[in-house]
Amino acid sequence: MEITKTQNSRLSSVDFDNLEFGRKFSDHMIDVTFKNGSWQEPQITPYAPISFHPSMHALHYGQAVFEGMKAYYVDDETINLFRLDDHHERISNSSERMCIPSMEKEIFIDTLEALIRLDHKWVPKTKGHALYIRPFVFASEEYIAARAAKEYRYMVITSPVAAYYKEGFNPVSLTTTDNYVRAVKGGTGEAKAAGNYGGSFLPAQKAQAEGYTQVLWLDAKENKYVEEVGTMNIFFKINGKLVTPELGGTVLPGITRRSVIAQAKAWDVDVEERRISIDEVFDAHKDGSLEEIFGSGTAAVISPVGLIHHKGDTIELDRDNIGPFAKKMYDTITGIQYGELNDPFNWVHPVKVG
Ligand code: COI
């Protein structure tokens, strides 16, 4: 790999006490080109604008996928990455669905380690804050025929972040929608494809105009079964059990979701991955068996849900307090990520930077 270091670090311009999600970017980025049928030598270069032709394929047909990961400060010598194999597997699956060549795992990991070593001072030291890592791949060919491109760019940029939602760790509010769907079976819903997010912004904006944080997506066929939130997966604690929608092709296979399930099972909590209707959630609230609702995601971590609106009805949980299970899950998963707790699952990938 070829590394070109910046001569002008922008680190001193960052106010680490007032981080906004995804607004500031660290000094370096990864840039790998795919052409002539293979990935070329990886480059790490100063973070800078890139140039492309107006005919660049991805701009026209949205052949683009991405990942979301985080780097966690442990001490001045160690930065932890999390579940790298799973993130690599997911970007490979997303790429396959979008007809994009997969990035080799060794390059994925080696370039990430090199980037983190170079920009480790950008990893915030405050617990709960992290360096968000955004790998993405897009069709870079100068060609507008509607077929899969033959040239791509894989890039990784990073951004020091605090909580994703403006609510912080306070409960967020969700609403279902009658007018829009996020994903259908056979579509691209389980891929982290750029267009899935682009298509969700209008409904999200409408939900926000009505005072909700995000849309709670229901299935596209019957508008009945809960799927996900678009920026996170969702969990319901009902009668002591943890229930989450099964994946089934329309739900993003969240890495934090997978971690929550593994951790809950390790605590001997029953976990059900199955279809759950929005009516079942409302009924469980009515009969008092709905204990907690929370979302999970890399950006969202564990985000408690305090309110769900559906067709004029609203369920409200304790909106001032975080449920004890969500809190314990947050403390445990972040404890593992920040190297404060043992890592029985071998999730953490430490990078020595000192
Ligand atoms: C993540 O959690 O990393 C995501 O990709 C969600 C995002 C749209 C901010």
Side-chain angles (χ1 to χ4, degrees):
M1 120 185 47
E2 199 179 302
I3 298 179
T4 312
K5 290 189 190 172
T6 182
Q7 298 304 313
N8 298 302
S9 173
R10 289 170 286 102
L11 184 58
S12 61
S13 73
V14 180
D15 178 359
F16 278 89
D17 294 326
N18 291 295
L19 292 173
E20 197 187 331
F21 186 93
R23 185 67 79 183
K24 292 267 183 188
F25 299 94
S26 74
D27 282 332
H28 298 91
M29 63 186 189
I30 299 169
D31 190 353
V32 195
T33 299
F34 182 93
K35 62 176 182 195
N36 304 326
S38 62
W39 289 104
Q40 307 295 303
E41 187 188 0
Q43 312 278 321
I44 295 188
T45 60
Y47 176 89
I50 57 173
S51 69
F52 49 81
H53 292 275
S55 57
M56 187 176 74
H57 193 284
L59 297 178
H60 300 268
Y61 303 119
Q63 224 194 336
V65 299
F66 71 96
E67 264 305 308
M69 308 165 64
K70 277 179 175 168
Y72 307 90
Y73 177 86
V74 178
D75 54 40
D76 287 347
E77 267 96 56
T78 315
I79 301 297
N80 277 350
L81 301 177
F82 191 65
R83 305 198 71 164
L84 284 193
D85 291 350
D86 301 68
H87 283 287
H88 177 262
E89 185 186 33
R90 190 170 64 181
I91 199 170
S92 302
N93 292 341
S94 301
S95 296
E96 190 183 337
R97 177 63 185 86
M98 297 305 289
C99 215
I100 294 173
S102 282
M103 170 50 67
E104 290 139 42
K105 186 156 152 193
E106 201 183 326
I107 301 179
F108 178 82
I109 293 178
D110 289 355
T111 51
L112 269 178
E113 285 184 346
L115 182 67
I116 294 304
R117 273 196 291 270
L118 215 50
D119 281 348
H120 69 93
K121 293 208 169 103
W122 286 79
V123 182
K125 294 186 177 169
T126 308
K127 174 89 191 278
H129 297 184
L131 188 69
Y132 186 76
I133 304 173
R134 170 54 60 86
F136 57 107
V137 198
F138 58 96
S140 55
E141 189 178 355
E142 192 189 344
Y143 191 50
I144 58 161
R147 57 106 169 108
K150 294 198 189 306
E151 289 173 17
Y152 296 88
R153 260 169 106 171
Y154 167 83
M155 303 188 76
V156 183
I157 56 175
T158 72
S159 170
V161 299
Y164 182 68
Y165 297 116
K166 69 172 173 25
E167 286 86 347
F169 196 42
N170 295 317
V172 297
S173 58
L174 307 176
T175 181
T176 61
T177 168
D178 280 342
N179 302 321
Y180 303 96
V181 297
R182 178 187 170 276
V184 288
K185 271 198 191 350
T188 58
E190 68 181 344
K192 224 161 158 56
N196 290 345
Y197 294 79
S200 74
F201 295 156
L202 177 66
Q205 225 172 48
K206 292 192 174 185
Q208 279 149 19
E210 288 169 23
Y212 305 105
T213 318
Q214 277 290 347
V215 172
L216 175 63
W217 292 108
L218 301 181
D219 75 281
K221 210 166 155 198
E222 295 175 74
N223 203 39
K224 184 171 170 192
Y225 295 99
V226 177
E227 300 225 309
E228 60 157 274
V229 180
T231 45
M232 57 186 191
N233 295 109
I234 190 142
F235 286 87
F236 302 94
K237 182 120 183 306
I238 301 176
N239 241 340
K241 288 184 183 164
L242 198 57
V243 184
T244 192
E246 65 191 2
L247 294 177
T250 52
V251 172
L252 187 87
I255 313 272
T256 314
R257 174 187 183 277
R258 202 176 293 175
S259 308
V260 167
I261 292 171
Q263 184 58 68
K265 287 183 177 166
W267 287 332
D268 283 330
V269 173
D270 283 338
V271 182
E272 296 179 355
E273 290 180 72
R274 62 168 170 84
R275 296 220 290 183
I276 175 164
S277 69
I278 188 72
D279 291 342
E280 179 181 342
V281 175
F282 274 64
D283 288 348
H285 182 251
K286 241 178 253 148
D287 71 21
S289 59
L290 178 64
E291 295 157 20
E292 292 183 38
I293 312 174
F294 61 92
S296 70
T298 296
V301 195
I302 302 293
S303 287
V305 174
L307 181 150
I308 294 180
H309 169 263
H310 173 63
K311 290 189 195 297
D313 267 352
T314 295
I315 53 175
E316 231 175 306
L317 298 178
D318 185 346
R319 298 201 65 196
D320 297 321
N321 293 301
I322 297 134
F325 186 84
K327 175 81 174 75
K328 190 172 157 199
M329 190 58 82
Y330 175 89
D331 288 344
T332 305
I333 289 187
T334 57
I336 294 171
Q337 290 168 331
Y338 288 86
E340 298 163 349
L341 297 179
N342 283 337
D343 175 23
F345 307 98
N346 243 333
W347 285 338
V348 161
H349 183 102
V351 179
K352 285 288 161 206
V353 296

